[in-house]
Amino acid sequence: MDKKLEIGEMLLTEVTIQNRVRELAWQISHDYEGKRLLVVAVLKGAFIFVADLARHLQVPAAFDFLAVCSYGSATASSGEVRILKDLDESVEGWDVLLVEDIVDTGLTLNYLTQSLWARRPASLRICSLLDKPARRQVPVKLDYCGFQIPDKFAVGYGLDFDGRYRNAPFIFVPAECLTEGEKGCD
Ligand code: IMP
């Protein structure tokens, strides 16, 4: 039987996320006016973010999806990335906006940007909802970033822990992911 949703620490409320997503969409709409925008979302984590972002874009856009899996434990990626589902169409000549849920070590985005540049887009920018800079192993230039968060395991709004919590409309640290020191007694 599944465990019920137990919030260890609230990181970002639904209202905070929605306001920021609207701001990002305005900025992206402004920057991509007159361009040939192709939004490439990384599944599964970015599925809710990209759906909300898409509805606030004021410019025409095409959409495609990549599914990747990074090896490692439930809370730490090893940096080895495997493409589970590749793009349906060529990105050649498109102004590609790669949409991710979170950048942690940066290894996944490093791999994906190299793979996408090799396919000759007209341009390539990165938009990530969350940025966890504390554990970065390779530098990643985020053109659009929703929020920087501390080094904690965040779930909700598309992000999961062991396949769970993706459907929560807010972002939080599950009680089961708090470290001993964070559990406190208040
Ligand atoms: P990176 O390669 O270490 O930058 O991690 C990229 C992937 O690891 C993300 O796309 C997520 O799927 C996963 N990840 C990293 N940190 C978190 C987190 O705090 N919550 C949920 N997933 C995470």
Side-chain angles (χ1 to χ4, degrees):
M1 179 114 161
D2 272 356
K3 288 183 200 151
K4 69 181 212 289
L5 184 153
E6 278 189 48
I7 298 172
E9 181 185 344
M10 179 63 78
L11 293 177
L12 298 161
T13 66
E14 184 173 0
V15 171
T16 304
I17 297 169
Q18 290 303 329
N19 288 341
R20 184 69 185 127
V21 170
R22 219 171 291 127
E23 282 175 6
L24 288 172
W26 286 335
Q27 201 187 332
I28 291 165
S29 301
H30 173 265
D31 295 350
Y32 281 85
E33 223 176 283
K35 305 227 171 182
R36 201 171 165 225
L37 173 60
L38 172 65
V39 177
V40 170
V42 185
L43 299 175
K44 299 176 187 168
F47 82 110
I48 293 184
F49 176 39
V50 78
D52 282 348
L53 193 68
R55 280 176 283 196
H56 292 297
L57 288 178
Q58 305 288 312
V59 287
F63 292 83
D64 208 339
F65 301 89
L66 273 169
V68 297
C69 116
S70 39
Y71 297 101
S73 68
T75 59
S77 98
S78 67
E80 227 185 300
V81 180
R82 190 158 56 104
I83 294 187
L84 299 176
K85 181 221 166 290
D86 210 337
L87 298 173
D88 290 339
E89 308 283 344
S90 162
V91 302
E92 192 166 346
W94 286 89
D95 292 299
V96 173
L97 180 65
L98 183 61
V99 176
E100 253 285 28
D101 54 353
I102 185 165
V103 193
D104 185 12
T105 61
L107 293 164
T108 304
L109 267 183
N110 189 48
Y111 174 87
L112 288 179
T113 49
Q114 283 181 32
S115 167
L116 288 176
W117 270 125
R119 305 176 196 202
R120 313 209 301 183
S123 66
L124 175 60
R125 287 186 179 182
I126 300 172
C127 173
S128 180
L129 176 68
L130 303 178
D131 178 19
K132 205 155 63 169
R135 295 177 358 120
R136 196 74 93 249
Q137 289 180 28
V138 286
V140 172
K141 180 178 170 281
L142 292 181
D143 300 284
Y144 306 95
C145 173
F147 307 92
Q148 280 203 349
I149 60 163
D151 185 12
K152 299 190 173 181
F153 199 79
V155 301
Y157 199 68
L159 292 101
D160 76 308
F161 172 62
D162 227 4
R164 288 172 292 130
Y165 305 122
R166 287 194 201 276
N167 55 310
F170 44 83
I171 293 176
F172 64 103
V173 184
E176 62 191 303
C177 292
L178 283 181
T179 61
E180 278 312 307
E182 287 171 329
K183 282 181 184 152
C185 45
D186 50 4

